[in-house]
Amino acid sequence: MSTREQNERKFQHWEDLPDGQRRYWLDVSSRSGWKLRYLKEVDTKEVTTRFYQEVYDEIGQLVEVHHKYPVDLGHRKV
């Protein structure tokens, strides 16, 4: 389990959600010009409740979502 400080250092972006939860995200650019966004949602104790990846094409349009935790649902086209 990561601490709040570790999550803030690793993801660099976050927003507070209702009920004290938090969403962190990290953007990574691909060589093809697409962007990957890794999102992690945690409860008030910083326990991960959801982790997923969004894939954006070269014009910034969301094209895929990959839910990884708590259940890996694979890549799904949007």
Side-chain angles (χ1 to χ4, degrees), residues 7-74:
N7 283 326
E8 289 176 352
R9 197 172 331 123
K10 181 175 183 178
F11 287 92
Q12 301 175 350
H13 304 281
W14 60 87
E15 65 180 336
D16 293 323
L17 301 174
D19 301 329
Q21 298 180 13
R22 221 171 205 207
R23 177 182 297 130
Y24 296 95
W25 69 92
L26 172 69
D27 293 331
V28 178
S29 297
S30 73
R31 292 182 191 170
S32 64
W34 288 34
K35 182 176 79 177
L36 304 174
R37 176 170 284 176
Y38 294 95
L39 299 109
K40 177 180 181 178
E41 293 178 4
V42 299
D43 65 13
T44 57
K45 296 180 180 177
E46 293 293 312
V47 174
T48 304
T49 59
R50 190 173 171 211
F51 187 81
Y52 55 104
Q53 175 189 43
E54 294 178 341
V55 180
Y56 295 87
D57 65 12
E58 64 277 359
I59 60 171
Q61 184 173 0
L62 179 64
V63 293
E64 278 186 18
V65 176
H66 183 177
H67 292 272
K68 297 174 179 261
Y69 182 83
V71 176
D72 189 342
L73 301 174

